[in-house]
Amino acid sequence: MHRITEKVVLSENIVKTVFEAPEIARKRRAGQFIILMIDDRGERIPLTIVDSDPVKGTLTIIYQVVGKTTDQLARLEPGDVIQHVLGPLGHPTEIEGIGTAVCVGGGVGIGVLYPIAKALKEKGTRVISIIGARTKKMLILEEESRSVSDELHVTTDDGSYGYHGFVSDVLRDLIAAGTKIDRVFAIGPVPMMRVVANVTRPHGIKTIVSLNPIMVDGTGMCGACRVTVGGKTKFTCVDGPEFDGHEVDFGLLMSRLQMYAKQEQEARERCRCGDHDR
Ligand SMILES: Cc1cc2nc3c(=O)[nH]c(=O)nc-3n(C[C@H](O)[C@H](O)[C@H](O)COP(=O)(O)OP(=O)(O)OC[C@H]3O[C@@H](n4cnc5c(N)ncnc54)[C@H](O)[C@@H]3O)c2cc1C
Ligand code: FES
């Protein structure tokens, strides 16, 4: 049982939840994730550990409400419990020895990127962050991102705040201006990560993306999270979640994410009707 200690609604459909999980809080490193089950009848969903407090024994997650389980999670308040939490899972991010890193985050991906930018900064890397959202009210963690960056660029698709355009446009401009970049970390919607990888490929800038396929067991046994990287099959839960963006088959990932769209829509409709059991 993991007791929720804090809940904050960060934007229209993005929520931050802090809950007790002392053993995971002690071990966790940037880039790792958990798989949680709200109750015994729930489904297992993966979420990145955005922050941890080893002293209080808590984990912080930030998630977008997209379907049944994230909808249920967002309804839980301090004092409520999450029944099962598995983790920390996945390889931690490689953060040593990087001169200048550009951290590109889109939407809820900013939450996943923030601990990586923070860890890079703590290791002495020069961090340039580019964060973007569809519109100003959907932008999250601006001040937190600023506090761990030497340079911060903010974009909105509709121009309601910051640069009018996509995060990849700002990255393209930085490269064109001759900015020395040793590595790019891109986390956000799959099409965004694909575009960022296409921007950096001709310049040979190593680009790490964090993949988000459907997961079930998180142990490399079920095969649900398989992706193709460099022509080889990889399991995101045990081989990732980070991969070389220039090697990822993004088209395949997008089609696999759509596989259960109809069933997911039906589950969410039932959840909205208050019938969580079917
Ligand atoms: C390693 C990993 C880390 C993740 N970290 C975060 C995080 O920190 N914050 C966060 O908000 N989300 C994160 N995700 C995505 C998150 O797991 C899904 O949004 C969640 O499982 C959806 O569950 P649901 O029951 O609410 O929605 P579902 O009913 O399962 O799905 C609803 C809609 O969301 C889409 N969807 C489902 N799963 C994913 C997915 N894995 N990625 C993108 N879209 C999906 C579906 O196509 C569908 O349209 C992560 C995924 C992985 C694999
Ligand atoms: S989630 Fe089952 S193999 Fe990765």
Side-chain angles (χ1 to χ4, degrees):
M1 292 280 198
H2 303 269
R3 196 176 61 90
I4 293 175
T5 57
E6 193 188 336
K7 175 190 158 187
V8 184
V9 177
L10 298 179
S11 83
E12 211 169 87
N13 62 349
I14 300 183
V15 180
K16 171 172 121 173
T17 297
V18 183
F19 60 92
E20 292 168 349
E23 284 183 22
I24 302 175
R26 272 198 298 276
K27 290 187 201 148
R28 163 270 167 179
R29 285 159 64 198
Q32 291 186 298
F33 66 96
I34 49 165
I35 290 188
L36 64 78
M37 240 173 104
I38 293 177
D39 55 42
D40 279 342
R41 293 179 183 186
E43 67 172 349
R44 298 156 63 86
I45 65 159
L47 291 172
T48 302
I49 307 168
V50 171
D51 209 351
S52 58
D53 186 328
V55 178
K56 289 186 187 158
T58 55
L59 299 183
T60 301
I61 49 175
I62 293 181
Y63 50 95
Q64 187 162 13
V65 178
V66 290
K68 179 181 181 237
T69 305
T70 46
D71 197 328
Q72 281 179 260
L73 191 58
R75 292 170 202 227
L76 299 182
E77 298 294 338
D80 291 339
V81 293
I82 297 169
Q83 218 150 66
H84 303 288
V85 180
L86 174 70
L89 299 171
H91 293 286
T93 308
E94 266 182 50
I95 49 175
E96 302 285 347
I98 302 168
T100 299
V102 178
C103 295
V104 189
V108 73
I110 300 168
V112 181
L113 186 74
Y114 168 69
I116 294 172
K118 188 174 166 204
L120 286 165
K121 188 78 197 123
E122 282 166 5
K123 289 283 175 189
T125 301
R126 175 172 154 73
V127 176
I128 302 175
S129 294
I130 309 171
I131 59 171
R134 265 188 271 149
T135 185
K136 184 180 179 190
K137 67 178 178 189
M138 296 177 82
L139 185 74
I140 60 165
L141 302 186
E142 182 183 358
E143 283 322 308
E144 290 84 346
S145 300
R146 195 184 306 283
S147 72
V148 296
S149 308
D150 294 275
E151 200 176 308
L152 176 75
H153 301 264
V154 179
T155 72
T156 48
D157 299 2
D158 66 357
S160 52
Y161 189 56
Y163 175 92
H164 185 176
F166 299 125
V167 283
S168 48
D169 299 333
V170 175
L171 177 64
R172 198 177 278 118
D173 290 349
L174 287 176
I175 294 172
T179 310
K180 184 185 169 303
I181 302 171
D182 298 298
R183 194 163 306 173
V184 168
F185 292 87
I187 307 183
V190 178
M192 182 215 102
M193 294 192 283
R194 171 147 76 173
V195 171
V196 168
N198 286 341
V199 167
T200 56
R201 186 179 285 108
H203 305 278
I205 302 170
K206 188 162 180 175
T207 298
I208 305 297
V209 294
S210 182
L211 301 187
N212 55 357
I214 291 162
M215 286 190 180
V216 180
D217 64 354
T219 67
M221 300 292 282
C222 72
C225 69
R226 68 182 179 275
V227 288
T228 302
V229 183
K232 296 197 179 100
T233 297
K234 300 277 178 188
F235 295 137
T236 306
C237 63
V238 289
D239 299 321
E242 293 177 1
F243 294 101
D244 182 337
H246 297 157
E247 302 268 313
V248 171
D249 184 336
F250 286 106
L252 188 64
L253 174 60
M254 279 198 257
S255 65
R256 284 183 59 80
L257 278 170
Q258 285 306 312
M259 258 175 26
Y260 301 104
K262 187 166 171 278
Q263 290 88 338
E264 287 162 350
Q265 178 63 28
E266 286 167 4
R268 186 156 193 206
E269 290 305 324
R270 285 200 296 269
C271 170
R272 281 191 180 133
C273 297
D275 182 355
H276 295 181
D277 294 341
R278 282 187 284 160

